[in-house]
């Protein structure tokens, strides 16, 4: 979960319902239609196997935030891609549908999200304006400051 998220009352019941049926693979992304900011559910054994990769994503040397954010763009959803590659069943990436007919189950939590295109200063009047990405099926809102990243290299903290 990111520090730039809000969750509603439906979040925990939605997240824990996957505990009963189990994950379809070692990780279940929030969505597959757009980058998910690495948000989703992960199998603990999978995370333990990839602990070195995860720790490498931490800014332990206190590099400038702009440099670290640029590096992070290439790592977004990396663990989901690794999980897909390790999976014994064919898990698809970046499809608009969460249901995988081949394995007969969902491979992400939300097929749809609603994007409020008008940026808002959600952390106070002087904060960087952010778009709201609403994953209603999971009751999660992600506030994205770098929503223009495909158009520009200008980064906002």
């Amino acid at each position: 979960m990111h520090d730039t998220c809000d969750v509603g009352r439906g979040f925990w019941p939605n997240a824990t319902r996957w505990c009963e049926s189990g994950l379809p693979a070692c990780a279940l992304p929030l969505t597959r239609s757009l980058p998910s900011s690495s948000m989703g559910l992960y199998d603990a054994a999978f995370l333990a196997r990839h602990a070195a990769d995860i720790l490498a994503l931490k800014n332990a040397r206190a590099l400038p935030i702009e440099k670290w954010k640029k590096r992070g763009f290439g790592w977004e959803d990396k663990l989901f891609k690794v999980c897909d590659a390790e999976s014994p069943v064919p898990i698809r990436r970046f499809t608009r549908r969460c249901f995988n007919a081949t394995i007969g189950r969902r491979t992400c939590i939300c097929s749809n999200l609603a994007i409020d295109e008008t940026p808002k200063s959600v952390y106070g009047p002087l904060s960087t304006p952010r778009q709201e990405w609403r994953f209603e099926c999971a009751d999660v809102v992600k506030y994205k400051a770098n929503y223009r990243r495909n158009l520009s290299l200008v980064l906002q903290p």
Side-chain angles (χ1 to χ4, degrees):
M1 185 62 69
H2 278 257
D3 58 350
T4 55
C5 287
D6 277 336
V7 296
R9 291 182 177 170
F11 171 75
W12 188 247
N14 189 315
T16 56
R17 77 182 173 97
W18 296 98
C19 296
E20 294 174 16
S21 62
L23 302 178
C26 39
L28 186 68
L30 190 55
T31 188
R32 288 186 178 272
S33 60
L34 288 168
S36 69
S37 301
S38 299
M39 294 188 301
L41 300 173
Y42 295 89
D43 178 77
F46 171 75
L47 291 177
R49 281 194 314 275
H50 294 281
D53 292 330
I54 296 165
L55 291 174
L57 297 174
K58 295 180 69 66
N59 188 357
R61 294 185 302 271
L63 295 173
I65 191 70
E66 294 82 13
K67 183 175 183 175
W68 203 253
K69 281 188 174 261
K70 284 181 186 176
R71 181 177 184 264
F73 287 158
W75 288 74
E76 185 171 14
D77 291 346
K78 177 185 189 262
L79 290 174
F80 292 132
K81 295 171 189 170
V82 169
C83 175
D84 288 353
E86 289 182 3
S87 178
V89 294
I91 304 288
R92 291 189 300 252
R93 286 286 310 154
F94 295 107
T95 177
R96 297 218 177 266
R97 293 168 295 176
C98 280
F99 187 79
N100 184 320
T102 304
I103 63 172
R105 41 186 320 196
R106 295 180 68 80
T107 58
C108 65
I109 298 170
C110 297
S111 290
N112 300 311
L113 70 135
I115 299 174
D116 186 344
E117 300 281 341
T118 306
K120 299 179 181 97
S121 295
V122 294
Y123 298 112
L126 300 177
S127 67
T128 299
R130 298 169 184 269
Q131 280 185 342
E132 289 183 8
W133 286 30
R134 296 187 169 278
F135 299 91
E136 292 178 5
C137 70
D139 208 359
V140 173
V141 177
K142 170 73 171 106
Y143 300 106
K144 293 189 70 83
N146 298 310
Y147 55 89
R148 292 187 198 152
R149 74 172 187 235
N150 294 327
L151 305 175
S152 165
L153 289 177
V154 176
L155 301 174
Q156 299 295 323

